[in-house]
Amino acid sequence: MPIGDISGVDAPLPTRVRTEPIQQRSADRLNRLLDSAAEIVDEIGFDRLTTAMIAERAGAAIGTVYRYFPDRIAVLVALRERAVQRFRLRSMQLMRAAGPTSVWDAVDSGITAFVELYRSEPGFRIMHFIDRERMPLSAEEAEPHLAKRLADILEEAIGITHDAELDFRLEIAVEMADAILSRAFAFDRAGDERYIEECRRVVRDYLSSELAAV
Amino acid sequence: MPIGDISGVDAPLPTRVRTEPIQQRSADRLNRLLDSAAEIVDEIGFDRLTTAMIAERAGAAIGTVYRYFPDRIAVLVALRERAVQRFRLRSMQLMRAAGPTSVWDAVDSGITAFVELYRSEPGFRIMHFIDRERMPLSAEEAEPHLAKRLADILEEAIGITHDAELDFRLEIAVEMADAILSRAFAFDRAGDERYIEECRRVVRDYLSSELAAV
DNA sequence: GCAACCATGATCGAGTTCCGCTCGGTGTCG
DNA sequence: CGACACCGAGCGGAACTCGATCATGGTTGC
């Protein structure tokens, strides 16, 4: 199986949609709804985002929004899901290009992908905010956390068998990176390079200590 | 000036209250409102918290809530502010008891205080969530971020002069610690010890590298 | 072939409900 | 009795519902 196949571009998509789109036009509409939401998130932030705005900008009626999403939050969750998929895809591309040999190399590609998307993908900030509290808010397994996705990607990319220990360290690394990178973009739309550099350094140090090269 | 004096227990309190309470009973009411809000945050999360709930649980009318707070978010901000003050106080206590000599020792006390409050203080989770997006959402200086508070505390506790470099490293450390600790409590009300331990280790390693003892 | 047909997916938007917040009137403290 | 504190019906707006309407693509009869 080629390395890109697990990037999941054609996976079942948002978990919480009400109705799977059958016809082509409706799949388009769903994407346009998410695009609208993404733009609005960037423009006014996600708590001021209203379902009416989403509908209007996408040229749809409010009812259409609720055909696909059970509630306002679900739109944001779906938006995050799409962002995660794009992150996966881009990470895989970078990893293939770099031909990483260590966990650290691979994770560095992940950081690069994250930064790129933060800069280019509208509404990517959602990655940091929707996380807990809004999500299932219980049950460990309910949340397919970013770290798990990354572990899967790594397994494919550099043929690592990920045991519980590596999963744990990756989760810590992801938490740290997410926090620092989000700080980098908090007051600077282009992302403060100082924080980004520090993020790479911190994560590399963390992953290389007691883990050496794999 | 004794070390505890900057803990700010009797500082002007929430920045965004509408009316400073004059009579004693109203100060009590304000605290009861915050207590109610804290409980509700723990029970159903802060986006499902409604002003009506706060009022009802505190045995007050809705109008009373709005006598003290301009809007719903202000309640959460005030709640966070109170939590930060208690964090300061507890940190100072622990630092005094430990008689710390290095930045790391002091920060470790901060972590301990944070964990304690996460366990004992209702609604303390708010510390992690209210941060950006909801707050001023622009202007670097507008946000009195936790890292700045910590820097102030350290300055008092171990007489450090905090330059820009230390501020930066502290901010990184705070971001990391906040992220990992919040993860520790995300699915475990008591806080997953493994994450807490890893948090101490990570922060210690980070602060001791290239900074040595102060 | 193809045109009429129709089951079902997709869309619509007025209407309902619920929530944030106001404001003028009523208690209660000093 | 003046100022402080409190009350809660009511207003505006946003989340969400639901029955009516339109579009699509497969089926049927010729």
Side-chain angles (χ1 to χ4, degrees), chain A residues 33-97:
Chain A
L33 287 173
L34 288 181
D35 290 342
S36 304
E39 288 175 24
I40 297 170
V41 163
D42 270 356
E43 286 168 19
I44 61 173
F46 64 81
D47 15 77
R48 276 197 273 273
L49 169 145
T50 72
T51 51
M53 287 181 199
I54 299 175
E56 188 192 355
R57 186 171 299 214
I62 320 159
T64 304
V65 174
Y66 286 92
R67 173 175 177 76
Y68 295 109
F69 304 101
D71 56 34
R72 199 184 75 101
I73 300 300
V75 180
L76 298 173
V77 171
L79 184 59
R80 182 178 197 276
E81 200 60 20
R82 198 177 70 166
V84 168
Q85 283 190 17
R86 290 178 181 177
F87 167 71
R88 279 177 147 195
L89 187 60
R90 188 69 186 125
S91 294
M92 294 300 298
Q93 288 174 349
L94 290 175
M95 285 181 201
R96 249 187 306 187

Side-chain angles (χ1 to χ4, degrees), chain B residues 116-134:
Chain B
E116 277 186 21
L117 288 171
Y118 235 117
R119 284 175 176 153
S120 62
E121 171 99 1
F124 195 74
R125 342 162 17 87
I126 204 80
M127 291 281 281
H128 181 61
F129 288 111
I130 287 303
D131 263 17
R132 296 189 261 283
E133 183 79 8
R134 281 165 204 290

Side-chain angles (χ1 to χ4, degrees), chain B residues 52-97:
Chain B
M53 286 179 200
I54 299 174
E56 189 191 354
R57 185 170 300 212
I62 320 159
T64 304
V65 174
Y66 287 91
R67 174 173 176 77
Y68 295 108
F69 303 101
D71 56 34
R72 198 184 75 102
I73 300 300
V75 180
L76 296 173
V77 172
L79 184 59
R80 183 178 195 276
E81 202 60 20
R82 198 177 69 166
V84 169
Q85 282 190 19
R86 291 180 179 175
F87 168 71
R88 279 178 146 194
L89 186 62
R90 188 69 186 126
S91 294
M92 294 300 297
Q93 288 176 348
L94 290 174
M95 285 179 201
R96 248 187 307 185

Side-chain angles (χ1 to χ4, degrees), chain A residues 41 44-48 73 125 128-129 132-134 137-140 143 145 164-165 168-169 171-172 175-176 179-180 182-183 186-187 194-195 198-199 201-202 205-206 209-210, chain B residues 41 44-48 125 128-129 132-134 137-140 143 145 164-165 168-169 171-172 175-176 178-180 182-183 186-187 194-195 198-199 201-202 205-206 209-210:
Chain A
V41 163
I44 61 173
F46 64 81
D47 15 77
R48 276 197 273 273
I73 300 300
R125 341 162 19 86
H128 181 62
F129 288 111
R132 298 188 262 280
E133 183 79 6
R134 283 166 203 289
L137 56 79
S138 61
E140 178 103 44
E143 185 194 339
H145 190 271
E165 175 62 22
F168 177 72
R169 293 184 74 92
E171 191 172 352
I172 296 285
E175 289 291 349
M176 294 192 308
I180 299 174
S182 296
R183 172 59 188 80
F187 309 105
R194 195 174 177 206
Y195 287 88
E198 192 72 353
C199 175
R201 220 172 58 80
V202 162
D205 287 353
Y206 176 69
S209 73
E210 304 179 37
Chain B
V41 163
I44 61 172
F46 66 80
D47 14 75
R48 277 195 272 272
R125 342 162 17 87
H128 181 61
F129 288 111
R132 296 189 261 283
E133 183 79 8
R134 281 165 204 290
L137 56 80
S138 62
E140 179 102 43
E143 186 194 337
H145 190 269
E165 174 63 21
F168 178 73
R169 293 184 73 92
E171 190 171 353
I172 296 285
E175 290 289 351
M176 295 193 307
D178 178 47
I180 299 175
S182 296
R183 172 60 187 80
F187 308 106
R194 198 175 175 204
Y195 287 87
E198 193 72 353
C199 175
R201 219 172 57 83
V202 162
D205 288 353
Y206 177 69
S209 73
E210 303 175 41

